[in-house]
Every structure is written in structure tokens, then in C-alpha cells.
């Protein structure tokens, strides 16, 4: 149940904070005061798209925050999403909107929109001003029927959906085989060429790095040899200008004074180390230069191998692993092409088997839908009578058209006659706007008994109705509110009179700006608001007396519902 709505800096709303309770909650006010904006904020919290223009002028961000109390069953579902209640049984959902982005949080933890919508779907069901127009489309009729059937069709729908996905994949796979003989021959030849080209290279993983290193040595060998030869000359022991020759002379000189001082012995030891390092280095340079003496044939082989590997990598992948993986896929494709007839027959057999399975599931689903349609038709008919349809004949047609989809093969359509002697016709062809809103209310009242969503929100469900019909709609909302929290925006005095809690929404000027405010009305204030709704707002004794009578009659009606 929604227990609090906090909205800040949203369009005309500077800041409002509303505490809600059980039963029927009605919001009224002048046209344009911001009634729909209040419940529009709930839609924002639901995760719906929102324009940055919704942020109140002169502010940096807008905030919508809703607090719900949830029962134990809902808490279990929330735990599956790793969401836990606060203070025993409350959950706070918040969405902050800035010019650049929006951030959604549940109990202070940031969540993505997918999680947000899943959670809000457990808490609240919103019926917008024009949602009843969805009844003009048979797709909505199918959705309503399946929602009513609930667990009776849940497993069948899941089985059909999963089976249909497999079926579509098989059909796509079959399409890939749909090539003529000439094209198949060309595909085989091309695939064989690519496989042979890679196979003949006899690639080894890591070989490209090794061959590249050798190729670099060969390509730069002349420059390397010349440079190291010069270094060797600088270090040699045979030339008087060589470092080795000079080091050798230094050792001879220091040996002549050996033993005269301990420090001299240390110098002698260091010179020996330098001499050893110099001899090792000149030896290593000589060996390295000898290794770089590649013969032309070997150099040519390395260059050819280097070019071959790079050519294959340019065509088939960035690494040898990629090239070999590409070859593996081509080999599989080649095998399929060569076994074309066997493969295609196997796929066709699999498709036929899946199609037969789907038709059996669809037949079972259709049977259960027809059973549910009879029950729902009776319930809707009775609900419509309650809503002042004087003579109504309502039925749900369920017919299979043979075309399998992920929802089965049924076409579902609501049929209705509102005049005695007239045959039933598709709902979309004969229902007016006021009738559509009442039919949707009837359906919502029935589904509310089936689902576990505690809060139902109706934004002007009273569109196009008045008089006795308005009274019947008010009574229906009151009846639903005995087991659900019902929040309703209305222009009708009958619905306002039926409210367990009545709120007034007003638009005011404040410091050269316009703001929307909301007030919880006492019984006396509610009577005055009913007077305003009934007429021009003149507080005559007769108008006040009539409003009081409406409230008293509503109280008696609600008392009878308990």
C-alpha cells in the first residue's frame, strides 16, 4: 500500500508531501490545477521516460519519492531481487531527475530501470486517462484474458514461448541452407580454398612473435654488425687505443706497487674485475656477430614465412589463434555444405516435430482460454450491470487462426451488445468513450480480485459519465477499495462523496510564480468541495444540504459493503 508520496520541483509542484491510507482516496480540483501531475509523478517513479522540461523552472533537479508498506508475500519476492524492507515492512522508491540524467533508488540503493519497474509492478497498477482506449485493440483483449486465467495458463504460455523461440531459430537455420546447387558449389570451392590456404601454412601458436623477432634481426643485421664491431674495437686488447689494452697496462703498473698499502690491493682487485668484465663482453660481442652471419637462403626462408603469416593474419584474424578459429568455422560450414541434403532433411524433421509440439500446446492453451473466457464473460456482464448498463450482452470470442506465435494461435476479441435485440459486435465498433471507461473499470474490478497488487490508481476513470451511472461507478470503486487501496482522480461529486479520504489540489500564485498545493479535507471541507463540483461553487443552503445528503448516502453505501 502507498503510504506517502513526496514530490519536489516537478513542473508546477514546488514541494508536496501526502500521507495516504487504506480505502478509497479521491483527489479533486479545478481543471489545470495539477491533479494528473500528482499521479504522473507516480508514473515517473515507475521508471517511465521523462523530459528534462519537467524540472521546475529555476531549480536544478526534481525528486519523486514513494513509500510503500508491503506484506510478507511481497517481501519474499523482493528478497529474490536482493531488496529488503526497512522498519519491518516499508520500502522507499525514489527517482531524482537532473538535466543530464535520472537516478533511481530503492531504500537508498541505486537500481537500474529494469529492477525499478519489476519492483513497482508489485506495488501499484495505474490506469491513466486514456488507457481504456487500449480496449479498442484485440491484442489487449488477449492480454486481459491471460491475466484473468493466471496460473491456469502460465506454464503453457512459458512452454509455448520457449518452444516458439526454438522453432524460429530452426526456421532461420533452414533459411541459411536455402541456396541453389550452383551457389552451393561455389561456396564449397571458396571454403575449400580458404581452409587449404590456412592448413598448408601449418601455423603454430606463438610462431608469429618468434619469426618476427628473427626477421627484425636479419633486416637490421648489417647495421648491428657494423656498430658492434666498432664497439669491439673500442674494447680490444691488441690496439694501443683499445680499452682492454689500457686496462692491461694499468694492471701491470699496479702490480708493481702491490703490498705497499691495503688500499692499493683493493684497487688491484677492482681492476681485475674490470678486466674480466671487459674480456667477457668482447667475447660475447664476437659470438653475437658470428650468429648474425645469416646465409642468404635462411634469410629468404625467414622473410617468406614472415610474409605468409602476416598475409593470413590480414585476411582471417589479428592473431594466429584467430586465424585457426576462422579455419575451424569454415571447416564446419564446409561439412554442412557437403552434407547439404542430410542436414536440411534433419532440420526439416526437427521443425516438423517442434511445430507439432507447439500445436498441441496451443490447442491446450486455447481450450483453457475458452473456459476462462466463459467465466470472465459472466463476471464482466454482471459488473457492467452494476455499472448501469441497462441491457448488456457481453462475450469473449476465442478462435484459433492457425498462425503460431509466442502467445499461441488464438485471436481473442471482446464482443458486446448494449441494446436489446441487437447482435453482439466487436467492442471497438460500438462502444463510446464513457462505455469504454466503464468496461475497463469492470475488468479492473474483476482482475483486482485475482492479482496481489494492493494499490490501484485511476486517473479520471469517470470520463464521459454522469447521473445514475456516475453513482454506480462510485459504488464500484468503493467496493474495490474494501480489499485494495484505490486512489482516484475525479471530476464527479458522486465519487468525491464516496471517498474515505478526500484531497483537494489547487493552483496558486506565490512570489511571482505558480505552484500546485494539495490539502487533506475534513468532512466539512469535503462537503464544500462537492458543492463546487456540483455547480458554480455558490454555498447556498440547498447546495450544502444536497452535498451533505450525498456524503450521508455514501456512508450508508460503504457501511453495507463491510
Amino acid at each position: 500500500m502507498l503510504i506517502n508520496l513526496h514530490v519536489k520541483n516537478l513542473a508546477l509542484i514546488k514541494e508536496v508531501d501526502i500521507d495516504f491510507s487504506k480505502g478509497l482516496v479521491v483527489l479533486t480540483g479545478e481543471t489545470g490545477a495539477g491533479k494528473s501531475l500528482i499521479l504522473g509523478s507516480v508514473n515517473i517513479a515507475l521508471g517511465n521516460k521523462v523530459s528534462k522540461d519537467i524540472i521546475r523552472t529555476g531549480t536544478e533537479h526534481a525528486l519523486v519519492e514513494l513509500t510503500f508498506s508491503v506484506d510478507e508475500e511481497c517481501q519474499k519476492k523482493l528478497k529474490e531481487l536482493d531488496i529488503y524492507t526497512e522498519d519491518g515492512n516499508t520500502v522507499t522508491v525514489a527517482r531524482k531527475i537532473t538535466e543530464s540524467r535520472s537516478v533511481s533508488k530503492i531504500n537508498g540503493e541505486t537500481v537500474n530501470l529494469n529492477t525499478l519497474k519489476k519492483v513497482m509492478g508489485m506495488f501499484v497498477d495505474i490506469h491513466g486517462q486514456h488507457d481504456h482506449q487500449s480496449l479498442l485493440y484485440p491484442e489487449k483483449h488477449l492480454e486481459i484474458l491471460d491475466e484473468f486465467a493466471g496460473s491456469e495458463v502460465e506454464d503453457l504460455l512459458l512452454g509455448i514461448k520457449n518452444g516458439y523461440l526454438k522453432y524460429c531459430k530452426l526456421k532461420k537455420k533452414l533459411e541459411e541452407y536455402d541456396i541453389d546447387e550452383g551457389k552451393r558449389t561455389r561456396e564449397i570451392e571458396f571454403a575449400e580454398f580458404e581452409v587449404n590456404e590456412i592448413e598448408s601454412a601449418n601455423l603454430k601458436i606463438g610462431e608469429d612473435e618468434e619469426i618476427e623477432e628473427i626477421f627484425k634481426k636479419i633486416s637490421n643485421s648489417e647495421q648491428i654488425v657494423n656498430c658492434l664491431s666498432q664497439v669491439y674495437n673500442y674494447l680490444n686488447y691488441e690496439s694501443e687505443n683499445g680499452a682492454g689494452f689500457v686496462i692491461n697496462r694499468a694492471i701491470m703498473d699496479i702490480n708493481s706497487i702491490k703490498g705497499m698499502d691495503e688500499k692499493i690491493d683493493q684497487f688491484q682487485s677492482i681492476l681485475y674485475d674490470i678486466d674480466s668484465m671487459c674480456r667477457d663482453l668482447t667475447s660475447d660481442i664476437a659470438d653475437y656477430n658470428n650468429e648474425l652471419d645469416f646465409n642468404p637462403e635462411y634469410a629468404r626462408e625467414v622473410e617468406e614465412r614472415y610474409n605468409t603469416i602476416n598475409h593470413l593474419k590480414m585476411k582471417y584474424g589479428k592473431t594466429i589463434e584467430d586465424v585457426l578459429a576462422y579455419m575451424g568455422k569454415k571447416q564446419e560450414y564446409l561439412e554442412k555444405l557437403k552434407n547439404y541434403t542430410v542436414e536440411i532433411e534433419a532440420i526439416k524433421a526437427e521443425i516438423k516435430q517442434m511445430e507439432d509440439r507447439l500445436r498441441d500446446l496451443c490447442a491446450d492453451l486455447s481450450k483453457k482460454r475458452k473456459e476462462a473466457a466463459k467465466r470472465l464473460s459472466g463476471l464482466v456482464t454482471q459488473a457492467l450491470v452494476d455499472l448501469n448498463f441497462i441491457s448488456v450482452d457481453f462475450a469473449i470470442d476465442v478462435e484459433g487462426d492457425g498462425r503460431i506465435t509466442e502467445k499461441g494461435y488464438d485471436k481473442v476479441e471482446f464482443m458486446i451488445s448494449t441494446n436489446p435485440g441487437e447482435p453482439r459486435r466487436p467492442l471497438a465498433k460500438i462502444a463510446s468513450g464513457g462505455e469504454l471507461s466503464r468496461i475497463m473499470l469492470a475488468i479492473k474490478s474483476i482482475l483486482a480480485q485475482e492479482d496481489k497488487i494492493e494499490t490501484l490508481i485511476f486517473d479520471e476513470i469517470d470520463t464521459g459519465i454522469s447521473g445514475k451511472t456516475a453513482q454506480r461507478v462510485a459504488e464500484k470503486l468503493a467496493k474495490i477499495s474494501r480489499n485494495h487501496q484505490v486512489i482516484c482522480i475525479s471530476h464527479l461529486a458522486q465519487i468525491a462523496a464516496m471517498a474515505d479520504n478526500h484531497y483537494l489540489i489547487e493552483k496558486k500564485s506565490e512570489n511571482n510564480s505558480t505552484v500546485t498545493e494539495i490539502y487533506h479535507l475534513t468532512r466539512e471541507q469535503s462537503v464544500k468541495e462537492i458543492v463546487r463540483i456540483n455547480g458554480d461553487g455558490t454555498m447556498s443552503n440547498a447546495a450544502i444540504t444536497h452535498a451533505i445528503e450525498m456524503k450521508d448516502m455514501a456512508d450508508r453505501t460503504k457501511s453495507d459493503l463491510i
Side-chain angles (χ1 to χ4, degrees):
M1 181 182 77
L2 178 62
I3 58 177
N4 181 267
L5 169 65
H6 180 75
V7 182
K8 186 175 182 180
N9 299 332
L10 192 72
L12 296 180
I13 300 174
K14 185 176 182 181
E15 186 167 16
V16 296
D17 193 85
I18 315 168
D19 289 324
F20 291 108
S21 59
K22 294 181 180 179
L24 178 59
V25 179
V26 178
L27 291 81
T28 61
E30 294 281 4
T31 300
K35 299 185 299 299
S36 294
L37 186 59
I38 294 290
L39 294 191
S41 64
V42 180
N43 267 319
I44 291 173
L46 277 169
N48 293 342
K49 289 184 178 180
V50 59
S51 170
K52 63 181 181 181
D53 297 335
I54 201 72
I55 302 173
R56 182 174 172 80
T57 303
T59 62
E60 296 181 352
H61 71 271
L63 175 68
V64 177
E65 190 174 76
L66 291 80
T67 302
F68 295 89
S69 64
V70 297
D71 57 24
E72 290 184 5
E73 186 174 344
C74 189
Q75 289 180 44
K76 291 178 182 177
K77 293 180 180 178
L78 289 171
K79 286 180 181 179
E80 293 175 3
L81 297 172
D82 201 25
I83 295 171
Y84 299 87
T85 55
E86 295 181 330
D87 300 326
N89 67 338
T90 63
V91 175
T92 300
V93 178
R95 191 173 179 197
K96 184 177 180 181
I97 303 158
T98 65
E99 288 193 1
S100 59
R101 63 175 188 146
S102 68
V103 177
S104 300
K105 294 186 177 183
I106 298 179
N107 290 342
E109 297 289 333
T110 302
V111 296
N112 57 41
L113 284 181
N114 186 42
T115 300
L116 178 68
K117 290 182 178 180
K118 284 182 180 179
V119 170
M120 288 296 289
M122 300 178 194
F123 296 161
V124 62
D125 179 17
I126 295 185
H127 178 82
Q129 289 186 31
H130 307 293
D131 284 354
H132 57 271
Q133 297 292 327
S134 64
L135 288 177
L136 297 174
Y137 305 100
E139 293 84 359
K140 183 65 175 180
H141 304 172
L142 175 63
E143 179 185 322
I144 290 170
L145 179 59
D146 285 345
E147 185 178 351
F148 174 76
S151 59
E152 296 177 19
V153 299
E154 188 176 350
D155 290 341
L156 282 169
L157 281 169
L158 182 60
I160 291 171
K161 182 179 180 179
N162 292 336
Y164 183 71
L165 289 174
K166 293 177 182 177
Y167 176 77
C168 290
K169 287 180 180 179
L170 288 170
K171 294 279 283 186
K172 185 176 181 180
K173 190 176 181 181
L174 183 62
E175 289 174 4
E176 294 173 356
Y177 279 89
D178 188 19
I179 57 177
D180 58 43
E181 190 60 29
K183 184 177 179 181
R184 185 168 75 94
T185 301
R186 290 192 297 273
E187 287 286 319
I188 289 174
E189 290 175 352
F190 185 65
E192 284 180 337
F193 170 79
E194 290 188 320
V195 169
N196 289 336
E197 184 178 33
I198 297 172
E199 277 187 333
S200 62
N202 195 25
L203 297 174
K204 297 179 179 62
I205 294 176
E207 178 188 10
D208 50 344
E209 297 176 359
E210 182 182 340
I211 205 74
E212 183 176 3
E213 191 64 32
I214 297 173
F215 181 73
K216 284 181 181 178
K217 283 184 179 181
I218 292 175
S219 301
N220 300 303
S221 59
E222 184 176 353
Q223 182 180 353
I224 293 171
V225 168
N226 289 338
C227 182
L228 288 181
S229 295
Q230 188 64 39
V231 172
Y232 181 86
N233 290 334
Y234 291 148
L235 298 174
N236 77 74
Y237 282 79
E238 297 169 2
S239 170
E240 292 185 1
N241 295 325
F245 183 86
V246 174
I247 292 169
N248 197 40
R249 287 291 303 271
I251 289 173
M252 292 173 62
D253 288 346
I254 206 167
N255 282 341
S256 65
I257 57 174
K258 178 182 176 182
M260 294 183 179
D261 192 315
E262 289 184 3
K263 199 69 174 176
I264 294 173
D265 292 346
Q266 292 178 15
F267 294 156
Q268 181 193 41
S269 177
I270 293 171
L271 274 173
Y272 279 133
D273 290 341
I274 293 172
D275 179 54
S276 178
M277 291 174 62
C278 187
R279 291 181 185 276
D280 289 343
L281 181 56
T282 54
S283 176
D284 289 343
I285 290 174
D287 292 342
Y288 185 83
N289 271 350
N290 290 333
E291 289 177 4
L292 288 180
D293 187 17
F294 301 111
N295 66 68
E297 181 63 24
Y298 176 69
R300 184 183 61 78
E301 289 175 0
V302 169
E303 184 176 4
E304 286 181 358
R305 187 61 176 172
Y306 178 76
N307 291 335
T308 297
I309 291 172
N310 282 337
H311 171 72
L312 294 176
K313 285 165 68 173
M314 286 179 64
K315 287 181 68 175
Y316 305 119
K318 294 181 179 180
T319 65
I320 287 180
E321 289 92 335
D322 293 339
V323 175
L324 294 175
Y326 180 87
M327 182 180 69
K329 290 180 181 178
K330 275 296 175 179
Q331 286 172 327
E332 290 179 7
Y333 180 57
L334 191 57
E335 190 68 23
K336 289 179 182 179
L337 290 174
K338 289 181 177 179
N339 296 290
Y340 177 80
T341 304
V342 175
E343 286 281 341
I344 204 169
E345 290 303 321
I347 295 172
K348 285 181 177 179
E350 203 172 347
I351 288 173
K352 179 66 169 59
Q353 184 180 16
M354 183 58 70
E355 188 173 335
D356 290 343
R357 171 62 178 157
L358 281 172
R359 290 202 177 278
D360 288 342
L361 290 173
C362 287
D364 291 343
L365 176 61
S366 185
K367 181 180 177 181
K368 289 188 177 296
R369 278 174 171 164
K370 288 174 182 177
E371 293 170 354
K374 288 181 181 179
R375 299 197 307 274
L376 181 57
S377 295
L379 293 171
V380 172
T381 299
Q382 183 56 53
L384 292 178
V385 171
D386 295 342
L387 290 168
N388 204 35
F389 276 80
I390 305 302
S391 177
V392 62
D393 182 9
F394 180 88
I396 302 174
D397 282 356
V398 180
E399 293 184 4
D401 63 5
R403 187 173 62 88
I404 298 173
T405 71
E406 65 177 357
K407 295 181 180 179
Y409 60 34
D410 289 321
K411 179 182 178 183
V412 175
E413 189 160 23
F414 292 171
M415 309 292 288
I416 193 170
S417 170
T418 56
N419 298 308
E422 291 290 328
R424 290 192 298 261
R425 298 177 62 196
L427 179 66
K429 293 185 178 180
I430 63 172
S432 65
E435 288 173 331
L436 283 175
S437 64
R438 279 186 286 162
I439 293 169
M440 180 59 89
L441 177 57
I443 291 169
K444 287 283 186 179
S445 68
I446 294 164
L447 295 180
Q449 306 306 316
E450 304 294 328
D451 61 38
K452 302 298 181 183
I453 298 176
E454 192 169 355
T455 299
L456 304 177
I457 298 178
F458 295 99
D459 188 359
E460 299 188 13
I461 193 70
D462 50 23
T463 300
I465 61 174
S466 60
K468 185 178 180 180
T469 300
Q471 181 61 32
R472 293 292 185 86
V473 168
E475 291 172 1
K476 178 63 70 174
L477 289 170
K479 187 175 182 179
I480 299 172
S481 72
R482 295 310 92 184
N483 298 310
H484 294 75
Q485 180 189 47
V486 177
I487 301 173
C488 180
I489 288 178
S490 179
H491 290 290
L492 291 179
Q494 292 91 334
I495 294 177
M498 198 68 71
D500 296 310
N501 285 279
H502 188 177
Y503 290 85
L504 173 64
I505 299 175
E506 287 186 334
K507 185 166 62 175
K508 292 184 175 182
S509 294
E510 181 182 286
N511 298 325
N512 297 320
S513 65
T514 304
V515 296
T516 291
E517 299 283 358
I518 184 165
Y519 308 95
H520 183 247
L521 303 182
T522 64
R523 183 181 178 85
E524 183 180 351
Q525 291 169 332
S526 180
V527 167
K528 290 181 179 179
E529 174 63 3
I530 292 170
V531 172
R532 183 197 67 78
I533 296 171
N534 274 328
D536 60 3
T538 302
M539 295 296 159
S540 66
N541 289 334
I544 292 173
T545 299
H546 178 57
I548 291 172
E549 289 174 351
M550 289 183 70
K551 288 289 293 182
D552 291 342
M553 184 176 71
D555 288 342
R556 290 192 297 272
T557 299
K558 290 188 288 185
S559 179
D560 292 340
L561 293 175
I562 297 175

